[in-house]
Amino acid sequence: VFVRGLTLEKARKVAAAAFRRFYQFSENQFDLSLNQAREIQVNLVGELVRPGSYVLSARNHVVNALAAAGGPTDIGSVRYIKIIRKGKEIPVDLYRFLDNPVVEKDFFLEENDYILVPVIRKKVEVSGAVNRPALYELLDSEDLNKAIQYAGGLKEDAITRVIQLDRYQNDRRIILDVPYRELQEKKSGFGLQN
């Protein structure tokens, strides 16, 4: 039974169909498992602690490859990572993986893939009455509401009428009062800068 190049799920179906020609069995009486995966070489470039070429099990995905390379540097993006495969770019947003690890199947690697970690485009610091104060990377399309969502939402004692925003603009630090409650009522957002 030849299964080279097939996913494990497809190989399971092909093997079951081949065995059905000689045996009678129900779906729960047949299983196919992988004892040892082949090794592949992947190349990690860009803003990584240890960029280079790595030999990994083919069962690994982007998260494992990034861990092998020490992860992104302080200025390395986790939202705009790209897998470059045969001239095509596949975008990878690790926040999607952290939000829903089931999407891990979207991040599997193939032989000679390049993983490019670019410089962060937009990073914001969320502090104060939020559940998870930290630095967050935002996509160009994401706003204040998304930043607060990433920070675990507002605490119960948060003042929501006005949120203060520190911004550096034209070589000056300015403090903006954002009418947050009003924005929520109007279901609108407020754009943030790096």
Side-chain angles (χ1 to χ4, degrees):
V1 179
F2 295 98
V3 295
R4 182 181 179 139
L6 299 180
T7 65
L8 185 57
E9 189 59 37
K10 287 181 183 174
R12 189 175 285 122
K13 289 177 183 176
V14 168
F19 277 88
R20 274 202 177 86
R21 285 186 257 154
F22 304 102
Y23 304 102
Q24 290 183 354
F25 54 86
S26 64
E27 285 294 320
N28 63 351
Q29 292 177 312
F30 180 85
D31 192 26
L32 177 73
S33 60
L34 181 65
N35 289 335
Q36 183 177 357
R38 73 189 195 296
E39 291 185 331
I40 59 172
Q41 181 170 334
V42 294
N43 307 288
L44 289 101
V45 295
E47 292 300 325
L48 291 152
V49 173
R50 293 183 305 276
S53 293
Y54 291 84
V55 176
L56 304 169
S57 164
R59 296 186 74 179
N60 284 311
H61 48 77
V62 171
V63 176
N64 301 106
L66 292 170
T73 63
D74 290 343
I75 63 168
S77 175
V78 294
R79 308 290 310 273
Y80 287 98
I81 296 170
K82 294 178 189 170
I83 300 172
I84 302 170
R85 178 178 299 153
K86 298 176 185 168
K88 294 184 179 175
E89 294 182 354
I90 303 165
V92 175
D93 180 355
L94 289 186
Y95 278 25
R96 273 186 61 225
F97 174 76
L98 295 173
D99 189 44
N100 181 11
V102 174
V103 301
E104 136 185 340
K105 64 181 187 240
D106 297 342
F107 301 146
F108 277 99
L109 300 171
E110 293 181 11
E111 179 72 24
N112 290 321
D113 277 351
Y114 274 82
I115 300 171
L116 171 64
V117 178
V119 173
I120 291 175
R121 294 184 193 178
K122 183 168 39 171
K123 180 170 60 172
V124 299
E125 179 180 1
V126 182
S127 61
V130 292
N131 291 308
R132 205 173 28 243
L135 292 172
Y136 294 94
E137 182 179 359
L138 299 181
L139 299 176
D140 294 334
S141 61
E142 293 176 335
D143 61 10
L144 176 63
N145 293 324
K146 201 65 173 178
I148 290 172
Q149 180 185 336
Y150 289 141
L154 297 171
K155 290 184 177 180
E156 289 181 21
D157 62 347
I159 297 171
T160 60
R161 188 175 60 78
V162 173
I163 291 181
Q164 285 195 327
L165 185 102
D166 281 352
R167 180 176 281 175
Y168 290 90
Q169 194 170 325
N170 299 326
D171 296 330
R172 292 181 39 215
R173 178 182 177 206
I174 59 173
I175 297 176
L176 300 171
D177 287 334
V178 178
Y180 186 69
R181 190 181 305 154
E182 185 181 319
L183 291 174
Q184 293 298 98
E185 289 168 0
K186 293 180 180 177
K187 297 189 184 315
S188 61
F190 186 86
L192 299 177
Q193 297 175 1
N194 185 27

